[in-house]
Amino acid sequence: MAIIANYIIDETGEVTLVLHAKLTSLPTPDNASPELVSSTANPDQSLKDIEARIQVSAKHLRLASPVFDRQLTGSFNEAQNLQRTGKVDITVEGWDLEALLILLRIIHGRNHRVPHFVPLSLCARIAVLVDYYACQEAMQVHLRLWKSHLETQIPTGYNATETLEWIWVSYFFDMSRVFDQVTLLAIRHGDEHMESTEFPVKASIMEAINTHREKSIDNVLNLIARWRDGLRQGLFGCTFECRCDDLGALEQSLFTANLYNPPTTPFTGWSFDSLFTHVKTFLKPSSRCNLLSYLNHDKCDAIPKIVQEVETLSSEMQGLDLTTFK
């Protein structure tokens, strides 16, 4: 049986929003049933079935959100029940409880219970609600405050979950510099096909990230293959001995890096950055070239030149331009 947690945003409110969720912990509710007290006093990491019932004002919901306005005044069953009985329950599924409570408290002017700053993950989940309910105007003061705080927290390291949150938040808040940086992190460091199921990131953004990621990896593999094939075919290296040394060293390095048989699209388990890291560890053999001869040595020393070309690819990589997706 689900644990019922009651939250009173407006004690005279006619609407009860009902959210079912599985949580390990929950925000402090306004009721104190023995079962709920026991659950919150002895938290553990097991999932609990929660039925959160949030009492709110129909007027505040309608003023803040055109979505709620249509639901409470149109031909929907909720609107008819409200008109007939003066009260109505509305089931809202899939939302984060903490984010929903913050949004509803702001809509109702209960700002004393709203945090001045929220962490990235919570901000991302609130932004999902603001986007869905189209209540940007009612939320604009807090959104502006949270945005200014986030702009000082731009990430430099890669974490798949956090990077996706940043992509969504930077798009939602129209932070072009942050969007460029975090999409570049995803392109450089992503090691699998990136998808967004929790956040409403445009499909075109995810497609662009995945395409750029795969292209960047493909570019590295192609230039390695060009040197590898050129050495095999005698197109590179000034002498037979030179080619044998370079090709042998390259083959050994590829085998050590598990690249002897190159990966294929979508390059699961590989990122541009991990590939670049391997390339930089390729061992260069001692040169067998006669530098005093009149032979062309531009195509000798394969491994240093491969590293140099990958460094050039790395320096030319860019994130996505936010304006392209607006």
Side-chain angles (χ1 to χ4, degrees):
M1 180 178 294
I3 299 172
I4 298 177
N6 294 313
Y7 298 90
I8 301 172
I9 307 294
D10 186 337
E11 61 184 11
T12 64
E14 316 93 319
V15 178
T16 299
L17 300 181
V18 182
L19 174 68
H20 294 95
K22 287 184 176 294
L23 304 171
T24 56
S25 61
L26 69 159
T28 303
D30 296 314
N31 68 330
S33 67
E35 183 182 22
L36 190 59
V37 170
S38 174
S39 174
T40 56
N42 301 287
D44 57 47
Q45 294 305 306
S46 60
L47 290 171
K48 306 178 185 68
D49 289 320
I50 304 295
E51 180 183 300
R53 301 182 61 84
I54 312 169
Q55 186 178 357
V56 289
S57 158
K59 180 179 180 180
H60 284 82
L61 294 181
R62 289 179 52 205
L63 285 174
S65 166
V67 176
F68 278 125
D69 185 52
R70 288 191 297 270
Q71 197 169 13
L72 293 170
T73 60
S75 58
F76 292 99
N77 290 335
E78 293 87 350
Q80 295 176 10
N81 289 340
L82 179 61
Q83 188 174 29
R84 185 176 62 255
T85 66
K87 292 183 178 297
V88 65
D89 286 5
I90 298 178
T91 300
V92 289
E93 298 293 353
W95 299 142
D96 178 86
L97 176 56
E98 186 178 8
L100 182 60
L101 288 171
I102 290 174
L103 177 132
L104 292 171
R105 284 166 179 155
I106 292 173
I107 286 176
H108 287 74
R110 304 292 193 259
N111 293 319
H112 66 286
R113 299 194 65 180
V114 176
H116 290 295
F117 303 107
V118 293
L120 170 68
S121 182
L122 179 55
C123 188
R125 288 176 274 136
I126 295 171
V128 171
L129 293 170
V130 175
D131 180 72
Y132 181 85
Y133 288 113
C135 53
Q136 286 85 345
E137 184 176 357
M139 298 284 293
Q140 64 180 337
V141 173
H142 288 84
L143 292 177
R144 192 179 301 119
L145 179 65
W146 296 337
K147 176 182 177 180
S148 64
H149 177 67
L150 285 171
E151 286 179 321
T152 67
Q153 309 293 317
I154 303 176
T156 56
Y158 178 76
N159 173 281
T161 300
E162 185 177 295
T163 298
L164 182 56
E165 291 170 344
W166 272 110
I167 290 170
W168 161 238
V169 165
S170 61
Y171 175 83
F172 176 83
F173 283 106
D174 201 22
M175 298 188 291
S176 57
R177 185 169 66 92
V178 179
F179 186 79
D180 173 84
Q181 184 160 333
V182 295
T183 53
L184 179 57
L185 284 175
I187 292 168
R188 286 188 64 100
H189 300 277
D191 60 2
E192 61 183 354
H193 190 83
M194 179 174 273
E195 297 181 352
S196 178
T197 55
E198 184 177 358
F199 306 109
V201 180
K202 283 186 175 181
S204 57
I205 294 175
M206 304 311 299
E207 181 181 354
I209 289 172
N210 289 318
T211 299
H212 282 68
R213 170 191 165 267
E214 291 174 10
K215 181 64 175 176
S216 70
I217 294 172
D218 202 42
N219 285 340
V220 176
L221 296 175
N222 284 340
L223 77 86
I224 291 174
R226 176 167 56 82
W227 277 95
R228 195 181 192 185
D229 292 342
L231 289 167
R232 287 169 170 171
Q233 297 166 16
L235 301 177
F236 296 162
C238 59
T239 63
F240 175 78
E241 292 77 14
C242 172
R243 282 191 293 276
C244 287
D245 286 348
D246 276 356
L247 181 58
L250 180 57
E251 295 289 351
Q252 183 63 55
S253 294
L254 292 173
F255 183 83
T256 302
N258 199 27
L259 289 167
Y260 191 80
N261 295 311
T264 56
T265 306
F267 306 117
T268 302
W270 286 95
S271 67
F272 174 88
D273 193 66
S274 67
L275 191 55
F276 188 16
T277 299
H278 279 298
V279 169
K280 287 188 291 187
T281 64
F282 286 1
L283 296 177
K284 175 187 178 300
S286 300
S287 176
R288 296 283 293 273
C289 300
N290 181 0
L291 300 179
L292 298 178
S293 71
Y294 292 101
L295 295 173
N296 182 358
H297 299 287
D298 289 344
K299 295 184 179 180
C300 302
D301 292 328
I303 288 179
K305 288 186 170 65
I306 290 172
V307 174
Q308 186 178 27
E309 288 187 53
V310 178
E311 287 176 342
T312 299
L313 291 175
S314 177
S315 67
E316 293 175 348
M317 292 179 70
Q318 296 180 333
L320 302 182
D321 181 358
L322 180 58
T323 59
T324 306
F325 302 96
K326 288 293 187 177

